Structure formats: structure tokens, C-alpha cells
Amino acid sequence: MANHKSALKRIRQTKTRTLHNKYYAKTMRNAVRKLRAMTNKEEAVKLYPAVQKMLDKLAKNNIIHKNKAANLKSSLCQHIKKLG
């Protein structure tokens, strides 16, 4: 166990941040799944900007890597193009 007050505080902060980051990462994954499951192009086009904004915010706050966000946006854009 930690011997310093600062180490105890660091443990508390890490727990809180981890929980916060997990929530937003899971929300992002669900949004991406929802968009990939869509078969209607108009609905997908409407949802895409919200998902894109979410990915950019998470990348900016280092919850996901910026390249991962770019790859996801690219693959989602290709998926939307394929819809008829």
C-alpha cells in the first residue's frame, strides 16, 4: 500500500479518471456500432457528424489516439458511401 499522502491521492484520482474515460470510450464504441449497423443512407449521414465530433473530442483529450479516431472516421465514411 502507498506510504505517502500524495500517493493515496494519486490512486483516488486515477480511479476516478479511469472510470470517466471508460464511460466515454464505451459510449463512443456504441455510437460507432450503431452507425455501422445502419442500412439507411440518409439516417447514417445525419448521425455521422455527431459521431465524428465525439471521436475528435476523445482524441483531443487523449482518451483515444488521434490515429485511431482518424481511422474510425475514415472507415465510417467508406461505410456510408457503400450504402445505397
Side-chain angles (χ1 to χ4, degrees):
M1 191 60 199
N3 293 323
H4 297 282
K5 251 183 156 177
S6 60
L8 292 169
K9 181 178 179 181
R10 178 61 61 200
I11 290 168
R12 287 195 311 268
Q13 285 178 329
T14 304
K15 260 190 220 172
T16 307
R17 288 197 182 116
T18 302
L19 193 64
H20 180 264
N21 292 344
K22 274 185 182 177
Y23 168 78
Y24 282 105
K26 184 69 174 176
T27 305
M28 177 268 305
R29 283 197 301 274
N30 288 337
V32 169
R33 272 192 210 113
K34 184 178 176 184
L35 186 59
R36 281 204 178 116
M38 286 188 171
T39 54
N40 187 351
K41 188 169 185 168
E42 289 78 28
E43 288 180 22
V45 168
K46 283 182 188 173
L47 184 64
Y48 181 69
V51 174
Q52 186 178 11
K53 184 178 176 184
M54 188 186 301
L55 289 167
D56 287 335
K57 277 187 178 181
L58 293 178
K60 185 180 82 174
N61 294 326
N62 292 322
I63 294 172
I64 60 171
H65 196 273
K66 64 177 186 168
N67 291 353
K68 181 183 176 87
N71 290 336
L72 283 171
K73 287 192 293 186
S74 174
S75 68
L76 289 173
C77 200
Q78 287 176 346
H79 170 71
I80 291 172
K81 281 183 183 177
K82 285 181 187 175
L83 295 176

